[in-house]
Amino acid sequence: MSTENLSQSPDQPQRKPRVAVVFGGRSSEHGISMVTAGAVLRAIDRTKYDVLPIGITQSGRWVLTADEPERMAITERRTPNVEQLAESSEGGVVLPVDPANREVVYTEPGSVPKALGEIDVVFPVLHGPYGEDGTLQGLLELSGVPYVGSGVLASAVGQDKEYMKRVFTSFGLKVGPYVVIRPREWEQDESAARKKIIDLAGDHGWPLFVKPARAGSSIGITKVEDLSGLDDAIAEAQRHDPKILVEAALRGREIECGVLEFEDGPRASVPAEIPPPDAHAYYDFEAKYIDSTPGIVPAPLTPEETADVQRLAVDAYEAASCEGLVRADFFLTEDGEFVINEINTMPGFTPISMYPQMWQASGIGYADLVDRLIEAALRRSTGLR
């Protein structure tokens, strides 16, 4: 679908495409999603698009919110939440479930449902489970509503670090050493599960990184220097996901690269480097979002290294069947080899986030980037493609 194909009656002027920006959500990345949404709402060209902000509360209620992006910022080191912007404490938004009808409905107890008009595309700026993991994408596929970003499979693969690594390995991309502890393993034989982790340290040394398998924004991740910190790290990861991933540390430089969908296919941005943050043990949540540790854009790489990481970033995008956008994260090891750490199918997207910064350095500014993503979504159909 393109903006030229919006249905109109003969006596109506061409209407603007309507973009529903959906944000918040039930995951631990709720607040960061709101920060991203604020930036996207500021950037969308209102002369070109109509905009409908829709928030999802931490309990899962879909609500109308104020179109006030200035209230979606981190203040006093705290992230915002949807409840602060909801227009009602009881009302809810209902998306269509009929592909022939894209009309959004607002309901409140004791009131007649109110039609809010049709939406042409959804810009889902949710991070983590219940939004970035294929669940929302499946709902939109059933509704027949185009959306920004990857489809169900790629979103699910991009959210689950275990299966992401399995897909990459099957396509010949190199990943670092890791083990996965599933909830049933932990429940049935905790000592055997713990031994898998200790054996990983025995083979590759300390430190280890203990992570929720299906979370992002570095939430729930602990760098474990020795055995004494392992149990607390496992407990912290399991607070966010019953399945955990434990990775051996890789010695090298952290390099990121953005991928963006163009009409002729995906292209890679200039890469960036994430230097070790001075005040943090690694590039954790606070380093990323609270203290805004700056990256180096473009990364100081040789032309050959730049070409290699750009090729690998596109390869990762294609391996997971991604669409729209991806940020691919690598380690450049001391041996001069790129090892992929992960991809993000909806990366941090504020103007100071690395993905927009890399495209800014590649000649595409933030507002243009938002516009390109919406246009790419409008070009695609839902369903099998």
Side-chain angles (χ1 to χ4, degrees), residues 74-98:
I74 294 173
T75 55
E76 297 180 350
R77 304 178 71 85
R78 287 182 298 202
T79 56
N81 66 72
V82 165
E83 295 283 4
Q84 296 169 339
L85 274 79
E87 293 192 351
S88 166
S89 61
E90 295 183 316
V93 173
V94 180
L95 284 185
V97 292
D98 178 1

Side-chain angles (χ1 to χ4, degrees), residues 206-289:
W206 300 90
L208 301 177
F209 286 87
V210 181
K211 305 179 174 182
R214 295 161 292 191
S217 298
S218 299
I219 291 173
I221 298 177
T222 305
K223 181 180 181 181
V224 182
E225 299 288 354
D226 54 44
L227 189 60
S228 65
L230 183 59
D231 285 353
D232 286 345
I234 292 171
E236 172 60 17
Q238 288 175 332
R239 282 201 316 113
H240 302 276
D241 188 345
K243 182 168 88 166
I244 67 171
L245 184 95
V246 184
E247 295 174 333
L250 292 175
R251 274 72 180 179
R253 299 160 62 188
E254 290 191 52
I255 306 295
E256 299 184 348
C257 190
V259 181
L260 178 65
E261 178 183 334
F262 287 75
E263 291 194 36
D264 60 352
R267 301 181 201 171
S269 69
V270 300
E273 180 168 2
I274 308 299
D278 294 334
H280 302 269
Y282 63 99
Y283 194 47
D284 62 6
F285 177 86
E286 291 212 347
K288 285 181 181 178
Y289 296 107

Side-chain angles (χ1 to χ4, degrees), residues 256 272-274 283 293-297 327 348 350-359:
E256 299 184 348
E273 180 168 2
I274 308 299
Y283 194 47
T293 301
I296 303 169
V297 189
R327 194 194 71 228
T350 71
I352 64 168
S353 298
M354 294 313 303
Y355 182 86
Q357 284 195 50
M358 288 186 286
W359 280 108

Side-chain angles (χ1 to χ4, degrees), residues 1 15 17 36 147 149 223 231 244 252 258 268 304 322-323 328 332 339:
M1 179 180 178
R15 71 175 179 85
T36 297
Y147 52 92
K223 181 180 181 181
D231 285 353
I244 67 171
E304 293 76 18
C322 296
E323 294 169 290
L332 177 55
V339 177

Side-chain angles (χ1 to χ4, degrees), residues 39 55 59 103 107 115 119 162 171 177 208 212 215 245 253 294 303 309 332 347:
S59 65
E103 191 162 71
T107 64
I119 54 174
E162 175 193 1
F171 277 82
L208 301 177
L245 184 95
R253 299 160 62 188
V309 76
L332 177 55

Side-chain angles (χ1 to χ4, degrees), residues 16 84 105 111 119 136 165 169 194 230-231 244 308 380-381:
K16 294 184 288 187
Q84 296 169 339
V105 175
S111 300
I119 54 174
L136 177 62
K165 291 177 185 292
T169 300
R194 189 179 285 104
L230 183 59
D231 285 353
I244 67 171
D308 281 349
R380 290 195 301 267
S381 63

